[in-house]
Amino acid sequence: MNSIILRAGARLLVAILLVFSVFMLLRGHNVPGGGFIGGLLGAVGFIVYAISCGTAEAREALRYPPENIALVGLGASLLSGLVSMVFGDDPFTGQWLFLGATEDDKGLPLSTVLIFDIGVYLVVMGAILALVFALEEEV
Amino acid sequence: MKSDAAHEAPAKAGQVLSGWLSVAIAAGLFAGFWQALGPVGGGEVLRWSRDWVPSAGISLSFLIDGLSLTFALLITGIGALVMLYSTKYLAGHPHFARFFLYLTLFMASMLGLVLADNLITLFVFWELTSITSYLLIGFTHTSAASRRSALQALLVTGAGGLALLAGMILLGDAAGTYELSEIRLMGDAIREHGLYLPILILFLIGAFTKSAQIPFHFWLPNAMAAPTPVSAYLHSATMVKAGVYLMARIHPTLAETDVWLWTLTIAGASTAVFASFMALKQTDLKQVLAYTTLMALGTLTLFLAADVGYAITAAMTFLIVHSLYKAALFLIAGIIDHETGTREVSKLGGLARFMPVTTAAAALAALSMAGFPPFLGFIGKELKYAGALAVQSEPFLVASAVLLANALMLAVAGVVAFKPFWRGQSATPMTPHEAPWRMLAGPVILAALGALLGIMPDLIAVPLVEPGVKAISNAELQPAELKLWAGVNLPLILSGITIAGGVALYLVHERLRDWLQSAGERAPSFDKGWDSLIDQFKAGAAWQTRVLQSGVMRRYVYTIFATLLIAVGGTLVWTGAFGGIPTVPFADLQMKHWAVVALIIAGAAVTTVTNSRIAAITGLGAVGIGVALIFIIFGAPDVAITQLLVETLVVVLFAVAALRLPLMKPEDGFPNRKLDALIATTIGLIVTAILVTVTDGPIDRRLSDFFESASWTEAFGRNIVNVILVDFRALDTFGEIAVVAVAGVAAWALLKGGKEASK
Amino acid sequence: MEVVISVLVGALVAAAVYLMLSRDLLRFLLGLILISNAANLSIFVAGRLTTGAPPLIAEGQDFPADQVANALPQALVLTAIVIGFGLFAFTLVLTLKAYKRLGTLDTSEMRIAEPRDE
Amino acid sequence: MSWLLSLPILIPFAAAVISFLLKDGPGGRWASVIGSGAMLVSAIALMSSVLDQGVVAGQMGNWPASFGITLVADLLSAVMVLITAITGLAVAVYAMADVKPDIERLGYHALFQVLIAGVAGAFLTGDLFNLYVWFEVMLIASFGLLVMGGSKEQIDGGVKYVALNLISTILFMTGIGLLYAMTGTLNLADLARTVPTVENQGMVTVVAVMFMVAFGVKAAVFPLFFWLPAAYHTPAFATSAVFAGLLTKVGVYALIRMFTLVFVGDISFTHEILLWVACFTMVTGVLGAAAQNDFRKILSFHIVSQIGYMILGLALMTPLAILGAIFYLVHHIIVKANLFLVAGVANAIAGSTELKRIGGLYATAPILAVLFLVPAFSLAGFPPLSGFWAKFLLIRAALEEGAGFVAFVALAVGLFTIFSMTKIWAEAFWTPHPDGVEPRLSSLDRKTLWPLILPIAALAVLTCIIGLFPEPFVVFAERTADQLLNPAPYIAAVLGDGA
């Protein structure tokens, strides 16, 4: 399993899956996709990596312990829900900022809702990886 | 050990302080109640009240009348003497301070009980006396017998307490108030109330258990496991009289009916006679005294049955008489035990030489107990006969019972207060010598009071007995006069017979005892019955628990599904809610629908029947994909993608895990599987029936309509499902990711944790 | 069409319950997965079925043009799937751990917490 | 207002995140304690505003009710959150000393905080599906806490706990689907309004019974309670204390909420079932306890038994009965959590929780003896402790309804409770230690002793306060019961007055 080609291929696959997962995350508000689907894809990428190169290397590539990533994701979603406090709205009220909005076009939307979905992404990826890595290392 | 010795010295100082503090509290309270003698003797009733739980009609109200004052003085007066006695009796005991804490708490509870004018407040103190007596009976906690006795007393009185609580609640509802001084005015209404009989029964269970009437008597002799001062105080002079107090207190409300009259008469008389014989049977001084206490309690119950002046006066007087001599005798028994090392009657004799003061006190107390003139006991006995002859039930029977009990009592008095001191000296474990003054003060004072009050009965007649009688009965009863010489009358003649009979019994008591003991072995014992009751209870509990909480998971799952089946299926049948067998729209079914249905059913079937892990996983995958296809067909792409991804992960994880798990065993061997299949199929049918019925007809789509209209215009998203997830119902999603995050962490911790533990 | 799915749900439930009544923990787990699917489907069908039309709003429009599938149950099912997955993943790891520590997957042999002699 | 409502949920989540990231040092446990303290403050604030203004409701995400998720607090929710915060703080402090460092490094305190958040969420939500979500949050956190450490006993108990609870979860979820199918809404207040308009009322009853079974498992009623005695004696003491105090009560809360607000159409049927369930639960639970010989196993079975009392109050459905149930609910959380905490200290100084293997606590650890007696006698219903009033109110409610048999059962069960409590007392406290050990509190070092004893003492004081000054609590419970039986203000607060 440790052939150089496979490892390089795995790296490439991980990169593609990660990019694709972020793409799914970002488009989710308007077409099928979203944080959960994105996070799952991201996790699948690292699982493939772990299977081909070993969990130790996958952990290294991930840089942070996956369980921490999960909790940070939870924190991010929580924070996105808290932002509206500053604006005097109810918790989890979406706050939107439209960059370059014109009459016809709403421009590039930045919102707490997106941060929320990023949190979902991180949680899903982190939690699954925490479980899978630990399961792999259990043997 | 050195350090222990080092801080023993200051601890001892603290202990001494705790002892004297308790004595001071009791004495101070006694002095306080003494002040009330004047007003109460003048016919006043003192009342103090303050709200406690007004919304439930409960107030902290207290009342001092003749009845409660009598009790209060006995409680605090005897309490002070007992505590003084205990400072010496328990000197150096490691739990000295705890003892005084319990004793003081008990005294306070008992005072609260007799002073309370609110039923529930009374009950609160009632239970407190049970708790404190539990701690006191089990004071010698390292002994298994003590612990058993403590539990027995607590459970018996506790059971009675619970009955009493129910009775009080019913009485409160019937009367519309918990205030005793209001309830006592409603006697007639209560007696005619539909709940009268339940109320009466529940009250009497409470009173009989606390005052150890047959058949609830067996805990009292066992309670003698407590240190002797406790026996003297709780189990003769005060707590056991709480039941008597209750009957006296509730007398105006519940008495004057045949049920009351006969129940109390029979219970009291049989307790008195039975206890007198049992007393004669014992050889342990404390046991002898315990049974005479039972006898006294029976007698008091007997007299409270009636509603005539003589009987009630007899009860009030005998209450005081008994408290005085019985506390004295118990304390003397304690002295004997303390100074000689034994309480066995047969081993004791000739103590008069060594302990003259104790002997004198014992003699005085015993003479009062035996009912010789000029002691208060004599007056008490005369009143008892007068009362017995005046009762409405069966004067002859009652008088006979009282006569028999009194004669036996006289014999017992000889056994406890004559024999140990006079007859030939026997060897005792310790060389006897006179007790210190703190232990003598109690018996001497109490015994002397018995004599003093006999000569001057007016000291208690006016301030205590007469107001007490008035408090017990709402009818205009004339309290009988307390006097030594009432002329030659029937009671006096009966007294003569008593003395003659008693002396005769004393002379033959040893043979009688042997006979009673051999008879007792054949008779069923309540105490042994208790043990088998507890054993049966435990065995029943264990059996039930083995059946229900079997430890076998399959049975748990089984029970839950069976419950579901019966509850939901039963309700479905009961309500007739099933909308009828629907028509399947075969016409609309296309090839793809059939394919999906077939895929799912086949997958589920394979998963269910296979013994191969690979086949099972494949089956699961088929079901998952089939469900995803349903989502796609019916316009749910997000759900379908998620389902596919999740299903992939499920199958992968399952495969990874299953490879490390053992093979699945064939299940053909289990006959139960047929029943399982039946249950499973029925539940499946029920689910289908319900689903078909609830989805018949259109749904109220106002929620979805709102989402459709607001999704883009207000929440700026074109994927309505995603907008619901991250905006409209973001809190759900937040909870959902919390579940995922925690599931990951928990699984990680489970896997990692085991590793660290095994290292 | 709801009727068909309802029957399907019933069949899945029956299979799942049968599996969950087994003494084999692995079979219980299989049953759990099946019954989760059944529960998800029942929520889905509770919102009634609409063929085709996913609940999306086309570019340039403010509302869905035609009748689209009921979006709310979809969101609920999505949440339920994810939660179910989390619970399943943990349960799977627990099963694995149970086999490692207790040496069996036969639940009637699992008597450590509630020993036989009690 | 919506902030005040959401803070008791959001604060523990924040504490969980911080605690997890700091789990390798002492920061993890302090984050948990500080978070619990902050939650207590928010819970008090919430309670005071509910007392001032009546039912308060707030919309998450600013979407109007029944479209978005509503958080709503009436007196019942507010008091449950408050008591959750109190118990949470007590247990968080206790866990500082009770939970071993290697378990802390696995994220114990974070999971604990998530559990508390889930409990608070369940009490505050006004949305049925959201309730399901909080149940799951609570459940997965409890799974993690239960098996954390991974001893054989824990794994074994955990398997049963997990398996049986998952069945309940699935049932609950299916029930939500069915109710949605009939009414098209998930909001509880909206359901209260629309359920009576459903044509097929028979089916409503069927679904109601389904919910009863689902919540019955959660609340551990007869015959669905098995998971509780199978597992509660296995985890860390802090864990079992918070489980014992709170988890089953969420099931009871859900039953009370659904069967006073939504499922009131066929009371003579549903509440009659509940009455029988209550009686059997009381009896089987207490008998189960009588058969046990382990400190925590006895306590576990008593949870079951006492859940029966609460269900009894709900089943009778009179103002006094509901009042009693609420009083019992609050009292029981405090007392039962406390007893489990005491069991932990007994284990720490005497070496076990098996009664046969310990003893001597009375002679050498008198403070612990007092701290045991207060909750134990309160549990057994002795006056003047909190449990007495709880029992008194329920018995009175039963007798006023003419339910003499039920009252008899409740009283008899009280007697058996005394039996079990004195069994623990006699064997762990009075009987000398079989190995001659003299267990002393002073054998614990100060850093362990105070976190263990302070929460116990605080809860014991609370028990005594409720016992000695019950009036404000009774009045409070009366108002709460009134709100439950007259849900119009609740519905109006959620849906607006025009509804």
Side-chain angles (χ1 to χ4, degrees), chain A residues 67-68 71-72 74-75 78 81-82 84-85 89-93, chain D residues 2-3 6-7 10 13-14 16-17 20-21 23 59-62:
Chain A
E67 58 277 6
N68 285 9
L71 265 290
V72 167
L74 191 64
L78 180 65
L82 296 180
S84 51
M85 187 190 265
D89 281 328
D90 292 325
F92 291 99
T93 303
Chain D
S2 53
W3 283 102
S6 57
L7 281 180
L10 301 180
F13 270 122
V17 172
F20 192 82
L21 298 178
K23 64 182 183 300
Q59 296 304 128
M60 296 299 102
N62 225 357

Side-chain angles (χ1 to χ4, degrees), chain A residues 11-24:
Chain A
R11 282 204 183 126
L12 188 66
L13 187 60
V14 171
I16 292 171
L17 274 170
L18 277 180
V19 170
F20 185 57
S21 74
V22 173
F23 168 72
M24 286 301 270

Side-chain angles (χ1 to χ4, degrees), chain B residues 353-379:
Chain B
R353 261 178 56 207
F354 306 98
M355 12 176 63
V357 184
T358 311
T359 310
L364 289 178
L367 288 171
S368 188
M369 174 177 173
F372 282 101
F375 292 89
L376 189 56
F378 175 74
I379 300 179

Side-chain angles (χ1 to χ4, degrees), chain B residues 68-142:
Chain B
S68 54
L69 184 60
T70 306
F71 269 94
L73 285 170
L74 289 174
I75 290 161
T76 51
I78 297 178
L81 294 172
V82 166
M83 285 168 182
L84 180 68
Y85 179 95
S86 307
T87 57
K88 199 70 201 173
Y89 188 85
L90 280 154
H93 194 285
H95 296 155
F96 185 89
R98 288 184 207 182
F99 180 81
F100 280 94
L101 176 68
Y102 299 156
L103 214 54
T104 311
L105 281 178
F106 168 76
M107 182 179 70
S109 318
M110 196 64 209
L111 273 179
L113 194 166
V114 298
L115 295 173
D117 191 34
N118 184 289
L119 278 175
I120 304 300
T121 307
L122 191 156
F123 181 77
V124 168
F125 289 109
W126 178 279
E127 294 287 84
L128 278 174
T129 63
S130 293
I131 296 177
T132 41
S133 83
Y134 171 70
L135 293 171
L136 283 166
I137 297 172
F139 190 71
T140 321
H141 58 92
T142 48

Side-chain angles (χ1 to χ4, degrees), chain B residues 661-712:
Chain B
L661 294 173
L663 298 172
M664 295 194 285
K665 283 180 223 141
E667 295 204 309
D668 313 332
F670 304 127
N672 287 345
R673 295 303 276 166
K674 274 180 191 152
L675 185 60
D676 291 358
L678 184 68
I679 289 179
T681 316
T682 319
I683 291 178
L685 284 174
I686 291 172
V687 168
T688 301
I690 296 174
L691 260 185
V692 165
T693 311
V694 297
T695 54
D696 188 29
I699 191 173
D700 183 343
R701 277 185 67 134
R702 62 205 157 90
L703 262 58
S704 296
D705 289 343
F706 172 84
F707 295 140
E708 283 167 17
S709 69
S711 181
W712 175 248

